Amino acid sequence: KHIEESALASRRQLMEHMFSATDDLFYELSKRASSNNEQNLYFESMREIRIKKEGLIGAFLQKLSENFTDILTNSAGKPNSPSADDEEVNLSIVEGDELEIDLALKNMSNRAKESYKNEIYELAIRLDHLLLQSTVTEDNNPLNPFKVSEAFVLACLDKLKISIKTRLILFKLFEKHVLKQLGHIYSDANHLLIEAGILPKVPKSLIKN
């Protein structure tokens, strides 16, 4: 629970920084726009994001919290099934620009995973060791970059009505201001588990070659 609370608080702080940078970037892009239509696109997107920011952050953090709950629910022997909200959002992806969104999601999460692969792996091993009735892997670990990126993408699709062009810019900002800053979150989570006596040293037999 402490790991979840610490991670969510850190993510909220990172999101606030990201939205501040988003406002600045979209304003600059609108000033450099080559046409009135392009300028309006950036201004309208900036306004939409300003209005929906708190709802977007809330939806993002709620999804992250659900990812933690899924692990605990599975450890209690209950099945984990997608919610109706998730299915509705996934449908909106299929009907829209699903290929570009899917590619952006995979690329940004893969880059972050490569940057923190050792920390992510050790965290998954420790969580798996802690939750005896649940299997925790790098894929279902609620702190892995794909889960974090997916939570943001789903929140954006649910809350924001903006063009694919500005949506992809927002994803880039998320990668820069959130995903690339996850290192301390992984370090803190591993440190909390080590302090609790959970695998202070990951056995060599568990480390992938």
Side-chain angles (χ1 to χ4, degrees), residues 116-135:
Y116 303 114
K117 58 184 178 181
N118 292 332
E119 294 90 336
I120 294 168
Y121 178 68
E122 290 194 6
L123 180 58
I125 291 294
R126 290 190 173 101
L127 288 174
D128 186 59
H129 188 79
L130 176 66
L131 302 175
L132 299 178
Q133 298 178 32
S134 179
T135 299

Side-chain angles (χ1 to χ4, degrees), residues 73-128:
T73 300
N74 289 337
S75 71
K78 296 178 182 179
N80 178 26
S81 59
S83 68
D85 288 343
D86 284 348
E87 290 174 357
E88 184 177 336
V89 169
N90 287 335
L91 181 61
S92 74
I93 295 175
V94 170
E95 293 173 345
D97 302 280
E98 71 279 5
L99 292 178
E100 288 191 79
I101 291 172
D102 187 54
L103 185 61
L105 170 59
K106 288 179 180 177
N107 285 343
M108 64 182 175
S109 58
N110 284 341
R111 283 190 289 265
K113 184 177 180 180
E114 183 62 26
S115 296
Y116 303 114
K117 58 184 178 181
N118 292 332
E119 294 90 336
I120 294 168
Y121 178 68
E122 290 194 6
L123 180 58
I125 291 294
R126 290 190 173 101
L127 288 174
D128 186 59

Side-chain angles (χ1 to χ4, degrees), residues 171-189:
F171 292 165
K172 281 289 187 181
L173 287 164
F174 178 78
E175 179 178 7
K176 178 180 179 180
H177 294 279
V178 179
L179 291 183
K180 288 186 177 180
Q181 311 304 321
L182 291 180
H184 73 91
I185 293 178
Y186 296 133
S187 296
D188 290 348

Side-chain angles (χ1 to χ4, degrees), residues 20-52:
S20 177
T22 301
D23 215 48
D24 292 341
L25 177 60
F26 278 18
Y27 179 72
E28 286 300 316
L29 288 172
S30 69
K31 285 170 59 178
R32 300 201 302 264
S34 58
S35 68
N36 287 336
N37 285 342
E38 187 180 12
Q39 186 178 61
N40 288 336
L41 175 71
Y42 292 127
F43 269 129
E44 288 170 7
S45 296
M46 183 171 65
R47 181 176 180 275
E48 172 78 356
I49 292 168
R50 280 180 181 176
I51 293 171
K52 303 290 181 60

